[in-house]
Amino acid sequence: MRAAAFADLIGPDGVSIIERPDPDPGRGEAVVDVEACSINRHDLWILEGDSTMVDADDLPFVSGLDIAGTVSAVGDDVRGVEPGDRVVLCPNETCGQCRFCREGPENQCERFSLYHGGLAERALVRADRLVALPDGVDATTAAALPTAYMTAYRMLQRAQVGPGDLVFVPGATGGVGVAGVQLADVLGARIVGTSSSAAKLDRLTDLGLDHAVQGTDPDELRDAVADVGTPDAVLNHLGGPYSELGLDLLCRGGRMVVCGRTAGNRSTFDVADLFLGHKRVIGSTMGTQNDLETLVDLVASGDLTPEVDATYPLAATDEAFAAMQDRDAVGKLVVTN
């Protein structure tokens, strides 16, 4: 089978199409004929050499978390999944033994990790991590869901967002940002989002964004967002200086959920404002398999249509990562077979 492997950790030029043996499922495993695999900032960090989980000794490395397709084979002791089933993978890898695996939520597992291997024609996966796709939910749409939409959905839950709340999403045109806007709209919240691009904000307005603010400078954004209102919640996938911005803008008792570091690994904030304002800063990673099942149901019911900016054939996986690196996309980039 063909796979789009990271042969060198130098960015998009490091992607090569290689041949690998077809996988053979073992106990509890399934093979999925991959029809679509979306890419994420997580994959790009690995490809750029900005991740401690992969180094030169691991090359060639096949990334890709978010796969959808059709089961072609199953191993022993597999229940509820059989060849011919259309599925999407929950990429969570958990120990199954710690208290978070026993009591939930599973994404807080003490040894939490993520599946890799979807940027290929076939993928070997844990069968119990597969979620069935209803008729009408195509593979490309399903592949957009796991990382970005699971993450945003869990962030909204942790921020306790409900109808009428004002939600601030800085950098609203990335994968998690777009997902956050769409899902906040499904929940009946009002959303203010930012981007450097007026054209991107126009697209987001069609997806549920109520208030568009153009710009990237935190000091300028602070006044512009404050003119809209005082946010009840902030979905912060950027980190860096946007954490201080989000905390400053939050209402008394407001909640900021942080899931990323695209703008920087370190953030500063006013400690007095944090405790005197009864504000909360909450870390969050991914979501749960139940969250993914909920998202699939939302798509099937017509309440959610994940935004896919572009699709690329497997042979053009390098171009997909180049597009992500250039930050031209609004929504997900998906590699298809």
Side-chain angles (χ1 to χ4, degrees), residues 2 13 30 39 46 63 94 111-112 114 128 140 150 161 163 167 200 214 224 249 256 271 276 310 318 320-321:
R2 294 182 308 151
D13 289 342
I39 62 172
I46 295 173
S63 196
T94 54
R111 291 184 286 280
F112 185 84
L114 292 167
D128 61 1
T140 298
M150 275 174 61
V161 170
V167 179
K200 289 182 178 181
Q214 185 176 359
L249 288 167
M256 177 169 65
V271 175
L276 291 174
D318 58 339
F321 281 111

Side-chain angles (χ1 to χ4, degrees), residues 277-301:
H278 298 270
K279 300 176 181 180
R280 283 176 277 170
V281 180
I282 305 164
S284 189
T285 296
M286 295 292 285
T288 68
Q289 190 158 328
N290 284 340
D291 292 340
L292 180 57
E293 292 170 355
T294 297
L295 291 167
V296 169
D297 289 343
L298 286 173
V299 174
S301 67

Side-chain angles (χ1 to χ4, degrees), residues 168 170 216-223 225 231 234-251 255-258 260 263-274 279-281:
F168 173 40
T216 58
D217 181 85
D219 291 329
E220 295 177 2
L221 294 178
R222 182 177 286 102
D223 292 337
V225 175
V234 176
L235 303 188
N236 179 5
H237 66 96
L238 298 176
Y242 294 92
S243 299
E244 182 177 16
L245 169 66
L247 196 64
D248 287 348
L249 288 167
L250 275 176
C251 71
R255 294 82 58 195
M256 177 169 65
V257 185
V258 184
N265 285 320
R266 296 286 184 270
S267 300
T268 61
F269 54 85
D270 185 336
V271 175
D273 178 52
L274 176 68
K279 300 176 181 180
R280 283 176 277 170
V281 180

Side-chain angles (χ1 to χ4, degrees), residues 192-238:
V192 52
T194 71
S195 172
S196 61
S197 166
K200 289 182 178 181
L201 287 170
D202 285 343
R203 286 182 61 182
L204 271 186
T205 300
D206 294 335
L207 298 175
L209 184 70
D210 298 288
H211 305 281
V213 177
Q214 185 176 359
T216 58
D217 181 85
D219 291 329
E220 295 177 2
L221 294 178
R222 182 177 286 102
D223 292 337
V225 175
D227 287 343
V228 174
T230 304
D232 300 282
V234 176
L235 303 188
N236 179 5
H237 66 96
L238 298 176

